[in-house]
Amino acid sequence: MSGSPELHELTAEAAAAEIRARRLSPVELVDAVLARIEQLDAGLSCFATVDPDGARAAARAAEAQVTSSAELGALHGVPCSVKDLIDVRGLPTIRGAVPFTDAVAQADAPAATLLRQAGAVCVGKTTTPEFGWSFITASPVTGRTLNPWCPDRTAGGSSGGAGAALAAGMGPLAVATDGGGSIRLPAAFTGVVGLKPTSGRVPTYPPSDLGTLGHLGPMARSVRDVARLLDVLTGHTQAEPGPMAHACGRPVEHLRVGYSPALNGGPVDPEVRAVVDGWVADLVAAGVPVTRFDLVLDGVEDTWDRLYAQSITRQVDALTPSAREQLSPQLRAFVDSTRGLPRSAGPDAELVRRAVTARADAVLRDYDLVITPTTSTVAFDAGLEHPGTVAGVPVGLTDWARLTQVWNLTGFPAISLPAGTIAGGLPVGVQIAGPPYGDGMLLALAAYAERALGSRLPRRVAG
């Protein structure tokens, strides 16, 4: 494959196989990805930190291991990015915030350790809003992260850098975090795949200030790559396929699948709904029975908002007064707006959260898996903090993202994959959720859909 101009488009699975077969040099692959970053990142702002020297040194070491016939890991020589809320030894963990611009990690988070053990090459840290607080990716440190499909639109947040980098070919894999949709929303907006695993399946360090709302998980351009990366993040770093990769080949025709086009009757853009309706119809035609129903889980909205508000406020209040002054006006205004919440808001919300989880568990006794749109809208203008309206209904900072938030409240796994595009060409995501530790089951359905329905995107993002 030497000299191929399309190395940046390789899946991780294909790249790892080519490297093990000695048909692809890890150095050549990493150089191609770094060249892609140099070409496109200035216009998209996907990376908070790029580490070309470290990545090339790791690639040279990976190549030496291949030629010496050493035992190779699952992702040997494959480039990967890590969201800038996760520690990677020797690289800054800026967290999107000016007060942390000089904070260099002294040790790896567990995820970074597992990536190294699997042989992956970290090319850099992807952008995030301050502390991952927003559903768009913009910060005083890195500016706005833009959508490669349409650079005047947002890439979503808070893992917008990861999603945009994948869509633009700046590496095949990304590790990100999700406290209310931060993996799945950017995946939907940028036309890639993102999985929020079952709560606790992947170790999260530094600990999320969102508590058990916060998850760490994989993003990629294919379901199989997401499964492969999830195996690594849960400790299966060897070359042979792990349990999540094996799950991608399981039969799915027997599954009881439910489809709800909304949550609690909330607004969904008609174009988004039409694309997901079409995806579900095609899935049925491909042999998977799907039952239409209305997903009603009372209490999601206020419960998630209260827990989220208190967690962000705790992070800001832990800073010195001078450090708080360095935060964006938007974040400071949001924190000021939460000051009226009673002290009991958090404990009260946790009680309601248990009830929401019990109701979701009851739904997943009727259905093995539940399909919804990932988002209520497509990517909106990059200068906005939220879409303003959805299907003619006014929406605020967080309430356009309820379809993803519910699965953070419950801790249940959920994946977003491309369902197609609206007339203007912007991607639409479809979300599949399942019961606790049903990650393999939802990966099986997602992988089946990816095979049976083919690519739902009309083109790859060009450079």
Side-chain angles (χ1 to χ4, degrees), residues 226-269:
V226 159
R228 193 177 189 87
L229 183 51
L230 180 59
D231 276 328
V232 168
L233 295 174
T234 53
H236 186 94
T237 58
Q238 304 93 329
E240 69 274 7
M244 294 298 109
H246 279 300
C248 289
R250 288 184 199 163
V252 298
E253 294 85 348
H254 65 287
L255 293 175
R256 301 169 302 153
V257 181
Y259 167 49
S260 177
L263 169 68
N264 295 342
V268 174
D269 184 278

Side-chain angles (χ1 to χ4, degrees), residues 175-195:
V175 180
T177 65
D178 189 315
S182 289
I183 284 174
R184 291 156 290 152
L185 292 172
F189 280 3
T190 63
V192 301
V193 184
L195 171 67

Side-chain angles (χ1 to χ4, degrees), residues 435-458:
Y437 295 97
D439 308 60
M441 186 164 48
L442 64 84
L443 281 165
L445 181 60
Y448 180 87
E450 191 174 66
R451 290 192 303 273
L453 307 187
S455 173
R456 311 302 284 188
L457 302 178

